[in-house]
Amino acid sequence: QVQLQAFGGGLMQAGGSLRLSCAASGRTLSRYVMGWFRQAPENAREFVAGITWSAGITYYVDSVKGRFTISRDDAKNMMYLQMNSLKPEDTAVYYCARRAMYGTTWSRTSEYHYWGQGTLVTVSS
């Protein structure tokens, strides 16, 4: 069973940058899709970015395209989310997750079966 730990969140002024990290332990990630989700207060959990572990193909929600970059280091079993030009609406708890092997979409929360604990990102205006 894979275990995921997200860290690197914090408080940042609008326009600033943060890098989130996700450390994975256990089973290899080579066959899987990994993703970042976020959840703002009273909102549903939202897909942010995803990456195929083997080929490095990426996909982003429209609201973060051009600002966020997802990446991975297979040798270290680490995944990252570089967040630039942060906006107050980016404020949320961010989660790293692994999609189930049978998943067919990038963004369906229900298709991701392993989750980290979440790390809070707060962006002030």
Side-chain angles (χ1 to χ4, degrees):
Q1 296 288 338
V2 66
Q3 295 177 318
L4 305 174
Q5 295 287 332
F7 56 95
L11 176 64
M12 183 60 61
Q13 193 173 37
S17 298
L18 282 173
R19 189 181 76 163
L20 305 183
S21 300
C22 176
S25 62
R27 195 168 184 170
T28 180
L29 302 175
S30 62
R31 295 184 178 182
Y32 298 98
V33 170
M34 296 286 292
W36 287 97
F37 288 74
R38 66 187 180 188
Q39 188 166 18
E42 300 184 352
N43 289 347
R45 193 166 296 182
E46 174 193 29
F47 172 83
V48 177
I51 186 167
T52 65
W53 206 259
S54 57
I57 299 170
T58 60
Y59 184 75
Y60 301 89
V61 69
D62 286 345
S63 61
V64 308
K65 287 180 179 177
R67 299 190 298 120
F68 291 9
T69 303
I70 187 172
S71 62
R72 85 283 195 252
D73 186 334
D74 186 48
K76 297 180 179 180
N77 261 11
M78 294 286 292
M79 183 174 69
Y80 307 96
L81 185 67
Q82 179 66 46
M83 305 185 296
N84 298 327
S85 302
L86 283 163
K87 303 176 180 180
E89 52 262 43
D90 295 320
T91 296
V93 176
Y94 284 72
Y95 301 87
C96 62
R98 192 190 82 184
R99 200 181 71 181
M101 190 174 297
Y102 57 81
T104 60
T105 74
W106 287 101
S107 60
R108 289 181 181 175
T109 304
S110 62
E111 294 187 358
Y112 289 76
H113 288 185
Y114 294 91
W115 296 85
Q117 83 287 0
T119 185
L120 177 63
V121 173
T122 302
V123 183
S124 62
S125 60

